[in-house]
Structures are given as C-alpha cells and as structure tokens.
Amino acid sequence: MSTLIAFERCLCILWPLRAQRIIQTRTTAVIIFIGHVLIFAGHYLIATRWEVVCMFDPLIMQTTDAFFSSEFYLNNKSLVDLFDGIIFGILLPGIYVAAIIVSTVVTVYKLRQMAEWRQQSSSANSSSGGTGSTNNASKDVTLTRMLIGTSCLFIACTTPPLIFHAFLPFVPELSLHGKYYNTYYLLINMQQMFTYINASVNFFVYYFFGTKFRHSVQAMFCKARLEAKMLAKKSAIDLSTNVSTVSRTFTKISDTD
C-alpha cells in the first residue's frame, strides 16, 4: 500500500492529466485486491511451517508453547523456505524500498522545480501584490515534508527486517531450534514491532503535515462532541420533564385525598 501510494503521488506530480486515466478508482481497487490475495496466500503457506503444542512442565509448574516443524514443511521445505526467506523476506521488501526511494526522490525533485518556477513567476508579477503563489509555495513545502516523512518512516521500518532476513542464510544457528534461539526470537518480535510502528505513525504524519486531513479529523471529533452535548442536554430536559410530570401527579393525588 505504501509503495502504491508513493507511485501514485509521483505520477500525479509528473503527469497530472495522464495520472487520472492511468490510476482510476477501479484500477486501484483491482490492484489492491489482487495484491492482498497473493500476499495473504503466501503468508498462509508460510504459516503452515509450524505446529504449536501446549505442554505442561511439572518442574516449574507452568504451561508453555512448543513449536515443531509441521509435516507439510518437512515434505515441502524448499518451497516454504523460498517464500519465507527469499520472496517475502528479501525480494518484495527490497522492491518496496527501492520503488519508494525512487518515487520520493523524483516527486521531491519535481516539486522543487515547480516551486522555483512559481517563485520566478511571482517575482516577475510582484507589482500586482498577489499572495496566491506564496500560498502554493507553502503548500508545496508542506507536501514535500509529508512525502519525505512517510517515505523515511517506511524505509526505517522496512530496512532492519530486510537486513535480518538477508543474514539468515549465512547464520544457520540463528533459527527457532538453533543455538541462537533467544536472539532469533527477539529479532522476530522486533520485526513485528517495526511493522506496527509503520502502520500507526503514518496517521500522525498526515495529521501534522496534511492540512485537509487535520481539518477533517478535527471536524469529525468536534461533531461527535457536539452530538454528545446535545444528547446530554436532551436527556437532562427529558429527566426534568419526567420529574415535573411525576410531581404534578403526586400533587393531584394528594389534593384528591
């Protein structure tokens, strides 16, 4: 998804009119669907590598999980290792990082060219006193910072797992049943943590650098708070109405008595 977004931004900056024809909503939806199906299918194949057994240790009086190689993995070791170590560990992350670096560099370079051209045009017409070009230049700067921020975040979170998987074939003992089991388990958890960081921090990057996104989020929460206040006010009015109704009822009963 990050690679697709970076590529789409690059096309929109390079060829704004062609990008609308090349990257349509239907085309993007088809690409996302096919990509997710293939990626999930590959990860499902990798997940069949292990069998987990719950075991009770009478010495420490605790239950632990033990991992064993599945029969499917033992019969198809070369195929699973190809997907786990080469395709999903090195090939795809390497393509993602390279594509994002190229797309970001091209996009930033083109944005700077546009900003310089706009600045030269505004200086030629400075006697008019307009501020439109200045606003556009500030928007270009903000967009450039956001692109660099999201791209650097993705590269920083993807490169360590890529290096980790690249070293695995050269260190056979760095495995779940090898000599360096604890190090392997720690690196696997760090890899997952990098994935979570990359998926969650983008929201804050878009919030602080994307004006439209920030205004939409603020409007959404302000609307929610307004609805909550209106609901609380309505509940208070209904409560006071019910209390007054009950009070009048008791008054009529007491008068009758």
Side-chain angles (χ1 to χ4, degrees), residues 108-118:
V108 172
Y109 176 75
K110 189 64 177 179
L111 284 174
R112 287 185 176 180
Q113 276 190 337
M114 295 169 59
E116 291 176 358
W117 175 81
R118 190 177 291 114

Side-chain angles (χ1 to χ4, degrees), residues 202-232:
N202 275 330
F203 173 84
F204 299 100
V205 175
Y206 287 130
Y207 183 83
F208 287 108
F209 290 103
T211 305
K212 187 175 181 180
F213 181 80
R214 181 169 61 252
H215 290 168
S216 299
V217 173
Q218 292 174 353
M220 180 178 62
F221 282 99
C222 289
K223 183 179 179 181
R225 287 197 298 267
L226 181 61
E227 291 178 351
K229 289 181 180 179
M230 293 178 64
L231 182 61

Side-chain angles (χ1 to χ4, degrees), residues 230-248:
M230 293 178 64
L231 182 61
K233 185 177 180 180
K234 183 180 179 182
S235 300
I237 294 174
D238 293 340
L239 179 62
S240 62
T241 304
N242 293 334
V243 170
S244 61
T245 303
V246 172
S247 177
R248 287 196 300 269

